[in-house]
Amino acid sequence: MSGHASTLRRADNALLLSDVHLSAARPDISERFLHCLHQQLRGVDQLFILGDLFELWIGDDAADALADELGSSLAAIAATGVQIHFMHGNRDFLLGTQYAAKAGMQLLPDPSIVVSGQRRILLAHGDAWCTDDLPYQALRRQVRDPAWQREFLALSPAQRLAMAQQARDASRNHTSQASEDIMDVNPDQVVHAFAQHQVDCIIHGHTHRPADHRHAEGLRHVLGDWYQHSSWLRLRAGELSRHGRVLTSAG
Ligand code: MN
């Protein structure tokens, strides 16, 4: 598993979400997402996007109209004083500094620790813990390699798109009808993450299985996808709530 989590930061007044999977084919999701941000970000200092904001990202230079518009909306939110932190998912791991800057987002390493109240919380996308899916982990190692990424980004957008679609088809064949997104995290990896990072709470997405798990080592909150509904967590000085329902009192 990956080494040390990034620099500690405080998150005493934050909104967290993941797996929006924005795409031109689903304008309803973009609409839901922007509507939710408009409503839920009032009075919030920080927004944490924990990966897979986009259904597919093949490079900042290939951003489509939807990405341009969304980037402008996020930049406008950032201009009001909301810090936007973006962590890569397995769909948008190629989102780079150029687009992030345009959208007013800061790139956040996976995993990262935040401190809220007295609580230490580990934030992750979650795919790195899905270690039971060996072919996926092999693919992950390949596409997260900087040399592979340089080569890939040097191809034309059309070539990149073709390769991405090929990889998607291969993955679909491998997992039959279950996509890589619905493989769950490995329990041993979760236990290891609590200990390695000395946290009492983990928040991640990726599995599209929103739930609040109680482990011996601490709490694990899984964010949901946005295909049919919005899905977010609110963090206030150690107190976590899901859609307004309090999950944990301030720690
Ligand atoms: Mn994912």
Side-chain angles (χ1 to χ4, degrees):
M1 240 354 63
S2 54
H4 297 288
S6 79
T7 328
L8 232 53
R9 72 189 77 226
R10 291 211 64 91
D12 284 320
N13 184 13
L15 189 75
L16 302 103
L17 55 90
S18 69
D19 302 284
V20 187
H21 291 268
L22 294 168
S23 76
R26 289 288 306 269
D28 56 316
I29 299 180
S30 307
E31 200 177 307
R32 178 179 307 127
F33 181 57
L34 289 172
H35 179 74
C36 175
L37 292 186
H38 183 70
Q39 286 204 317
Q40 300 303 331
L41 281 177
R42 282 187 200 135
V44 168
D45 296 333
Q46 292 168 303
L47 169 63
F48 289 89
I49 301 171
L50 302 185
D52 289 356
L53 174 61
F54 293 98
E55 171 73 8
L56 180 64
W57 196 268
I58 56 168
D60 291 3
D61 60 332
D64 61 6
L66 172 114
D68 282 344
E69 281 167 34
L70 197 268
S72 300
S73 301
L74 289 174
I77 289 167
T80 68
V82 179
Q83 270 181 37
I84 307 177
H85 301 282
F86 173 82
M87 182 180 283
H88 289 133
N90 56 302
R91 303 300 189 95
D92 52 14
F93 59 89
L94 284 173
L95 195 151
T97 51
Q98 193 191 330
Y99 181 80
K102 222 181 100 184
M105 306 193 295
Q106 301 168 38
L107 295 177
L108 185 69
D110 181 2
S112 287
I113 298 171
V114 294
V115 176
S116 188
Q118 303 299 311
R119 219 177 273 286
R120 279 170 61 90
I121 304 175
L122 189 68
L123 308 180
H125 181 58
D127 61 319
W129 296 327
C130 296
T131 52
D132 295 334
D133 188 351
L134 299 177
Y136 172 67
Q137 292 301 328
L139 175 71
R140 188 178 194 273
R141 276 191 296 278
Q142 181 192 13
V143 301
R144 299 299 182 104
D145 173 34
W148 182 91
Q149 293 190 359
R150 268 194 305 277
E151 260 179 61
F152 182 79
L153 290 171
L155 300 171
S156 74
Q159 286 173 306
R160 282 179 252 163
L161 194 60
M163 275 183 72
Q165 276 159 355
Q166 233 173 38
R168 183 77 54 84
D169 293 345
S171 156
R172 281 206 181 124
N173 285 340
H174 149 62
T175 52
S176 63
Q177 49 189 183
S179 84
E180 73 269 25
D181 284 334
I182 58 171
M183 303 284 286
D184 211 348
V185 295
N186 174 288
D188 295 337
Q189 296 293 329
V190 169
V191 170
H192 179 72
F194 276 114
Q196 183 191 4
H197 300 290
Q198 302 187 331
V199 294
D200 53 10
C201 180
I202 294 176
I203 298 174
H204 71 84
H206 180 65
T207 60
H208 299 196
R209 294 176 182 183
D212 305 296
H213 300 277
R214 189 172 289 276
H215 299 268
E217 298 80 9
L219 300 166
R220 180 169 62 95
H221 303 285
V222 184
L223 293 156
D225 66 64
W226 287 63
Y227 291 133
Q228 306 301 334
H229 311 279
S230 61
S231 179
W232 44 266
L233 291 167
R234 183 81 164 84
L235 179 59
R236 262 199 124 108
E239 182 188 275
L240 262 173
S241 54
R242 193 189 282 277
H243 287 249
R245 186 170 57 86
V246 174
L247 303 171
T248 60
S249 55

